[in-house]
């Protein structure tokens, strides 16, 4: 028998019926928090950021955001789905960072799910994002903190 991609689509009353597609399982949600420097917080998010997982992300960000943090890097490069609840968390985090005088950099905004959500919400260019990998942003900030100014 021919593979499903090459078989003709079933037809019902002259209208093609879509083939049943295997729905991929949702990617498990994960948050990794690290503090690579005294004043730097790196939060790496992976999986689906939706109505079920966004409160967990908001809770982690609010709990870990206390203390002498001058840079918060939020890495979204491993996100497979980004819903409106995730957008709300981004807005809240942006406001909290502004109130505390903390620099916020969001990386991984070029991955398709995040980029589409930010574009649809009109936030693609208003969010303080970086095209660099999160590690580069963190390393630059740690170097600036230890030297007292940018080394370049």
């Amino acid at each position: 028998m021919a593979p499903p991609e090459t078989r003709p689509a079933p037809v019902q009353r002259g209208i093609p019926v879509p083939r049943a597609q295997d729905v991929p399982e949702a990617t498990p949600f994960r948050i990794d928090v690290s503090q690579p420097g005294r004043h730097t917080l790196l939060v790496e998010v992976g999986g689906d950021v939706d109505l079920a997982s966004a409160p967990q992300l908001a809770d982690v960000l609010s709990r870990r955001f206390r203390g002498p943090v001058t840079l918060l890097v939020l890495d979204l490069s491993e996100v497979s789905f980004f819903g409106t609840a995730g957008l709300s968390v981004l807005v809240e985090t942006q406001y909290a960072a502004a109130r505390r005088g903390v620099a916020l950099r969001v990386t991984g905004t070029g991955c398709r799910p995040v980029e589409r959500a930010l574009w649809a919400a009109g936030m693609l260019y208003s969010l303080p994002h970086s095209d660099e990998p999160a590690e580069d942003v963190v390393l630059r900030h740690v170097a600036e903190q230890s030297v007292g100014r940018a080394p370049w």
Side-chain angles (χ1 to χ4, degrees), residues 25-30 45-54 78-83:
E25 287 190 32
T27 309
F29 178 70
R30 68 171 180 75
V45 182
D48 294 349
V49 181
D50 53 14
L51 192 57
S53 60
E78 297 296 319
V79 170
S80 54
F81 174 79
F82 201 74

Side-chain angles (χ1 to χ4, degrees), residues 130-141:
S130 175
D131 295 332
E132 297 177 283
E135 294 80 18
D136 291 350
V137 175
V138 168
L139 287 174
R140 181 180 309 114
H141 184 72

Side-chain angles (χ1 to χ4, degrees), residues 42-131:
L42 173 62
V43 179
E44 297 172 292
V45 182
D48 294 349
V49 181
D50 53 14
L51 192 57
S53 60
Q56 183 182 358
L57 177 60
D59 184 50
V60 167
L61 286 171
S62 68
R63 278 189 291 120
R64 294 301 299 261
F65 204 26
R66 298 182 182 128
V69 174
T70 57
L71 175 68
L72 170 62
V73 179
L74 186 59
D75 183 13
L76 303 176
S77 59
E78 297 296 319
V79 170
S80 54
F81 174 79
F82 201 74
T84 56
L87 291 170
S88 295
V89 172
L90 277 182
V91 169
E92 291 170 13
T93 303
Q94 189 173 7
Y95 286 146
R99 278 192 311 268
R100 297 193 60 209
V102 174
L104 170 67
R105 293 293 173 267
V106 181
T107 62
T109 57
C111 75
R112 188 79 174 141
V114 175
E115 183 181 34
R116 287 183 65 185
L118 291 174
W119 182 81
M123 295 174 56
L124 190 59
Y125 300 108
S126 65
L127 192 67
H129 67 280
S130 175
D131 295 332

